[in-house]
């Protein structure tokens, strides 16, 4: 046996000392680790960070749930408080297919695809086979599927109908939308509000056109929020703090639009646009006393609810288009000449042609009417005669009055994109051509503003579309009549009105097509050439902008109606006859809204017309009678569904208010009715009436109580 070395013997004899040394080393390592851990803990606790991650923010992200409280976009109303545009939601449908999507034992995915396809085919514009194919995607592990555009933009009613089918796995997401209950209804004027591109469900709509755009800041609300602390499953933590900021809904805009008149105008416009297919068509009805636009429309137009037609015309041609107005401009040429003392109506001139600079200007009747007095130039719409008037007045004076009438500058109407128009008489020919509406650019609202000076016997009133706005805080701002200038005197306005009367009444006038029996009417027709893209003007019978400006009653105009039609593609009738299909019924309908003609005293008392819509017939009748009105009832029902005049307006006490019930539409006894009351009856029922004579109704071809049909009812009038 080998003997151990002395060193090995020493180690073997001191095992306790070895273990002690090893323990010291372990304790040292543990102490270092503990110190390092303590330092790290202190760093994390005090600094709130791990590497670059902020623990406080991370915790908030994990357990803080933020929800947006959506604000409602404000409402746009007509003059009587009827809704034109209001806040809404649309819905997108989708189907969950993942079979792991359950709540306990409740299956939250589509369990019966065949049944689901069959049911959804009743509500979506997709076939049962197509829906079934969507529910069987090729990709495996598909969590959910959607149904394309067919499954978007669903109304609340459609959503509720589908939910009532109790289909498992069928879900909906919502997005903000705008409801336009009247469809095509002053669409470019009211405008459009749409989601932003790539909008989230919490984003608000943005006005992109018309009043929606002009008053976007007023109409849009301010979203609120709600913040709460939740666990990983979404349940609120005990004693956690909830922060809430309430949403602020948008304000409202009340317009000057009369829904009854606007709806009727849309009907007339559609009829003419369909029949004659003009490239564009516009019409504006205004109360010149107040500047209120009661109805305004254009073609092409669109349905803001569906977007149909939006691609055909984005511009609001009433304010965004400059154009040469043609002979309607002669109203202001004549007014300027009379006001400046440079009009000599009894002097004679040679009609037909006149040479200005190097250009020959012709009358529409190129052979002329021989040598005629200057007072026939306006009713005959003689370009040569207007040039003679302008030459006597001079370009400087003419230009001065055009500016007084507001041409070459915006009216400031509450619509986006209004043009200023322009005229520049740098060349003598320009001034001469402007006298009959060429070589000058205007927009429709400038014409409406300028003609108000004639209608009001001097004061020129700014056109307006807004009655009042109410902001988010409830503060209301009301807009009233605004006189912007007085370019002419009462005497001048009266003479211009008489000349416009002659356009309709004189045997040589150009406005015979607009004559309305029993209506004191003042009119000016217009035919403007259209500039070609390569210089000069287009040729051809239909390559014109045809127009008419009319006022009624001419002695004290309550309505001004302007219609413009560009290049009818199917011109199967004279331009005046085509536009008369809008002008005459529209003006008649407007005049029908006036109070009963029996009351003419300046001391007559005016009262507000109460709202009796959707009330019992007896209750409504009593309410109207208590307010001081006479009541005429049409129909056999027990519930009132329409009334004229509409609520909110004012009418003379004792005047007749017509109410339509939900029963069969029957003919009332109209004995003693004024023409305006019979016209109200035509408006309310939509039936045809032929009015003969003047004064008050004495006979009717359909007896009282008989059903109103499609045949015209003849009403005979006689003076008392």
């Amino acid at each position: 046996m080998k003997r151990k070395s002395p060193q090995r013997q020493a180690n073997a004899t001191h095992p306790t000392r070895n273990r002690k040394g090893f323990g010291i080393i372990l304790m040292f390592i543990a102490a270092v680790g503990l110190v390092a851990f303590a330092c790290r803990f202190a760093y994390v606790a005090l600094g709130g960070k791990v590497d670059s991650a902020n623990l406080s923010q991370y915790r908030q992200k994990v357990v803080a749930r933020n929800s947006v409280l959506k604000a409602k976009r404000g409402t746009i109303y007509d003059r009587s408080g009827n809704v034109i545009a209001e806040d809404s939601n649309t819905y997108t449908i989708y189907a969950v297919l993942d079979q792991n999507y359950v709540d306990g034992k409740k299956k939250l995915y589509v369990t019966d695809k065949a049944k689901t396809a069959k049911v959804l085919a009743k509500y979506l514009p997709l076939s049962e086979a197509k829906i079934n194919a969507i529910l069987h995607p090729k990709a495996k592990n598909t969590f959910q599927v959607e149904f394309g555009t067919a499954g978007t933009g669903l109304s609340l009613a459609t959503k509720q109908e589908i939910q009532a089918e109790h289909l498992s796995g069928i879900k909906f997401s919502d997005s903000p939308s705008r409801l336009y209950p009247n469809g095509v209804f002053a669409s470019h004027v009211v405008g459009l509000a749409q989601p932003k591109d790539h909008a989230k469900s919490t984003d608000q709509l943005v006005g992109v056109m018309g009043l929606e755009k002009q008053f976007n800041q007023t109409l849009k609300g301010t979203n609120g929020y709600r913040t709460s602390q939740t666990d990983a499953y979404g349940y609120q933590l005990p004693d956690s703090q909830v922060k809430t900021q309430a949403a602020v809904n948008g304000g409202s805009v009340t317009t000057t639009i009369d829904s009854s008149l606007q709806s009727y105008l849309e009907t007339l416009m559609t009829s003419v646009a369909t029949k004659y297919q003009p490239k564009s068509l516009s019409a504006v009805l205004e109360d010149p006393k107040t500047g209120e636009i009661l109805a305004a429309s254009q073609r092409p137009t669109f349905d803001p609810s569906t977007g149909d037609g939006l691609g055909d015309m984005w511009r609001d041609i009433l304010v965004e288009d400059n154009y040469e107005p043609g002979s309607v401009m002669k109203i202001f040429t004549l007014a300027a000449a009379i006001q400046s003392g440079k009009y000599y109506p009894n002097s004679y001139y040679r009609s037909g042609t006149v040479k200005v600079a190097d250009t020959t200007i012709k009358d529409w009747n190129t052979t002329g009417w021989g040598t005629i007095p200057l007072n026939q130039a306006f009713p005959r719409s003689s370009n040569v005669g207007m040039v003679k008037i302008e030459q006597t007045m001079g370009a400087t004076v003419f230009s001065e009055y055009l500016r007084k009438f507001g041409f070459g500058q915006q009216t400031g109407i509450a619509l986006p994109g209004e043009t200023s128009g322009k005229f520049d008489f740098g060349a003598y020919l320009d001034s001469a051509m402007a006298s009959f509406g060429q070589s000058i650019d205007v927009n429709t609202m400038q014409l409406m503003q300028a003609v108000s000076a004639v209608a009001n016997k001097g004061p020129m009133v700014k056109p307006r579309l807004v009655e009042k706005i109410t902001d988010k805080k409830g503060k209301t701002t009301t807009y009233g009549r605004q006189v912007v200038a007085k370019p002419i005197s009462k005497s001048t306005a009266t003479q211009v009105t008489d000349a416009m009367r002659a356009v309709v009444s004189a045997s040589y006038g150009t406005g015979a097509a607009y004559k309305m029996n029993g209506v004191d009417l003042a009119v000016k027709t217009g035919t403007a050439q259209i500039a070609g893209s390569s210089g000069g003007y287009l040729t051809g019978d239909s390559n014109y902008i045809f127009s008419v400006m009319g006022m009624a009653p001419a002695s004290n105009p309550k309505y001004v109606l302007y219609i413009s039609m560009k290049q009818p593609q199917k011109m199967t009738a004279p331009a005046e006859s085509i536009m008369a299909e809008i002008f005459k019924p529209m003006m008649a309908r407007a005049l029908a809204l006036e109070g009963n003609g029996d009351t003419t005293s300046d001391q007559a008392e005016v009262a507000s017309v109460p709202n009796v819509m959707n009330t019992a017939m007896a209750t409504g009748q009593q309410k109207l009678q208590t307010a001081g009105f006479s009541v005429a009832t049409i129909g056999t029902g027990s519930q009132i569904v329409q009334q004229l005049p509409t609520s909110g307006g004012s009418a003379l006490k004792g005047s007749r208010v017509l109410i339509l019930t939900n029963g069969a539409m029957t003919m009332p006894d109209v004995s003693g009715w004024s023409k305006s009351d019979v016209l109200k009856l035509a408006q309310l029922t939509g039936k045809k009436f032929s009015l003969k004579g003047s004064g008050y109704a004495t006979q009717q071809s359909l007896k009282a109580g008989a059903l109103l049909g499609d045949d015209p009812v003849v009403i005979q009038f006689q003076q008392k």
Side-chain angles (χ1 to χ4, degrees), residues 65-91:
R65 170 164 295 184
N66 296 319
S67 56
V68 175
L69 304 178
K70 297 179 185 178
K72 291 184 177 180
R73 187 173 177 85
T75 303
I76 300 177
Y77 300 97
D78 78 348
R79 65 187 298 109
S80 299
N82 300 310
V83 173
I84 296 176
E86 64 181 340
D87 196 58
S88 182
N89 279 310
T90 57
Y91 301 89

Side-chain angles (χ1 to χ4, degrees), residues 198-263:
H198 311 296
K200 296 178 288 187
S201 63
T202 55
D203 288 345
Q204 296 188 46
L205 300 176
V206 177
V208 296
M209 181 192 297
L211 295 174
E212 292 273 28
K213 180 178 181 179
Q214 185 76 11
F215 293 96
N216 188 62
Q217 291 301 316
T218 297
L219 292 167
K220 78 172 187 177
T222 302
N223 285 341
Y225 65 87
R226 183 178 185 273
T227 302
S228 59
Q229 303 296 315
T230 63
D231 61 18
Y233 297 98
Y235 295 105
Q236 185 174 322
L237 297 176
D239 301 322
S240 63
Q241 192 175 29
V242 177
K243 295 181 180 180
T244 301
Q245 177 68 52
V248 179
N249 293 331
S252 65
V253 175
T254 300
T255 69
T256 61
I257 293 173
D258 183 302
S259 285
S260 176
L261 292 173
Q262 182 68 44
S263 296

Side-chain angles (χ1 to χ4, degrees), residues 590-655:
L591 293 170
L593 297 179
E594 293 304 307
N596 194 325
D598 293 344
T599 310
T600 57
S601 170
D602 292 338
Q603 303 300 318
E605 189 176 352
V606 176
S608 177
V609 180
N611 181 17
V612 296
M613 294 276 287
N614 301 315
T615 62
M617 182 181 67
T619 303
Q621 289 174 330
Q622 181 61 45
K623 191 173 182 180
L624 289 167
Q625 290 168 353
T626 302
F629 298 102
S630 173
V631 183
T633 303
I634 299 98
T636 59
S638 59
Q639 192 87 0
I640 299 172
V641 294
Q642 288 188 56
Q643 69 177 88
L644 267 182
T646 54
S647 63
S650 297
L652 297 175
K653 280 195 172 183
S655 63

Side-chain angles (χ1 to χ4, degrees), residues 244-577:
T244 301
Q245 177 68 52
V248 179
N249 293 331
S252 65
V253 175
T254 300
T255 69
T256 61
I257 293 173
D258 183 302
S259 285
S260 176
L261 292 173
Q262 182 68 44
S263 296
Y264 190 51
L265 178 59
E266 297 293 358
T267 300
L268 297 172
M269 294 280 283
T270 297
S271 174
V272 167
T274 302
K275 192 185 302 184
Y276 303 105
Q277 297 181 11
K279 288 192 175 179
S280 67
L281 179 68
S282 67
V284 180
L285 179 71
E286 180 189 44
D287 178 347
K289 297 286 191 296
T290 63
E292 295 173 331
I293 304 299
L294 303 173
S297 184
Q298 71 176 58
R299 295 293 182 278
T301 188
F302 68 97
D303 186 334
S305 295
T306 63
D308 291 345
L310 187 58
D312 297 332
M313 176 66 76
W314 183 267
R315 299 187 323 278
D316 182 349
I317 62 178
L318 298 178
V319 292
E320 294 185 65
D321 277 14
N322 279 339
Y323 61 97
E324 294 177 305
S327 294
V328 165
M329 201 70 197
K330 293 172 182 175
I331 296 172
F332 312 108
T333 305
L334 180 62
I338 295 172
Q339 187 66 30
S340 64
K342 301 296 183 180
Y343 178 55
Y344 305 100
N346 297 320
S347 62
Y348 281 73
Y349 74 100
R350 180 72 184 176
S351 63
T353 60
V354 61
K355 194 163 187 178
V356 179
D358 295 328
T359 301
T360 298
I361 293 174
K362 300 178 180 180
D363 282 324
W364 62 268
N365 176 11
T366 54
T367 60
W369 304 275
T371 301
I372 58 175
L374 210 56
N375 60 22
Q376 291 187 16
F378 186 89
R380 289 184 186 274
S381 202
S382 167
N383 292 344
V384 174
M386 301 314 291
V387 169
K388 295 291 185 182
I389 292 173
E390 183 275 330
Q391 288 175 333
T392 302
M393 179 172 38
T396 301
V397 173
F398 185 35
S399 176
E400 175 188 339
Y401 275 95
L402 288 178
R403 287 190 172 84
K404 287 182 178 180
F405 275 114
F407 296 109
Q409 47 200 297
Q410 295 177 347
T411 66
I413 192 168
L415 286 173
E418 184 186 9
T419 62
S420 298
K422 63 179 180 178
F423 62 92
D424 182 5
F425 296 163
Y428 183 57
L429 178 62
D430 293 332
S431 178
M433 293 183 69
S435 70
F436 55 87
Q438 304 282 170
S439 194
I440 179 173
D441 289 337
V442 304
N443 69 49
T444 297
M445 290 305 167
Q446 288 174 333
L447 290 174
M448 300 304 294
Q449 177 173 275
V451 81
S452 70
V454 179
N456 294 326
K457 303 296 186 289
M460 187 168 74
V461 177
K462 176 181 175 178
R464 60 188 174 92
L465 276 160
V466 177
E467 194 71 40
K468 64 181 180 181
I469 62 173
T470 302
D471 66 17
K472 301 171 190 177
K473 296 180 180 179
K475 179 183 177 182
T476 298
T477 303
T478 302
Y479 299 90
R481 180 177 189 254
Q482 184 178 348
V483 176
V484 293
K486 189 179 180 182
I488 56 176
S489 66
K490 180 179 180 180
S491 174
T492 296
T494 299
Q495 292 179 66
V496 174
T497 301
D498 288 342
M500 293 176 70
R501 275 196 182 101
V503 172
V504 180
S505 61
S507 60
Y508 47 79
T510 59
Y514 302 103
K515 188 173 184 179
M516 300 170 64
N517 293 333
V519 177
D520 180 17
L521 194 61
V523 159
K524 183 67 194 83
T525 58
T527 304
Q529 290 179 291
I530 300 173
S533 57
S534 57
Y537 289 97
L538 300 179
T539 58
D541 292 342
S542 66
N543 281 328
Y544 293 90
I545 296 176
F546 302 100
S547 59
V548 59
M549 179 75 79
M551 310 185 302
S555 58
N556 183 25
K558 296 179 179 179
Y559 299 102
V560 173
L561 177 58
Y562 175 69
I563 302 170
S564 175
M565 176 178 67
K566 181 179 181 180
Q567 294 172 290
Q569 301 302 291
K570 291 186 176 181
M571 198 169 174
T572 55
E576 290 76 16
S577 298

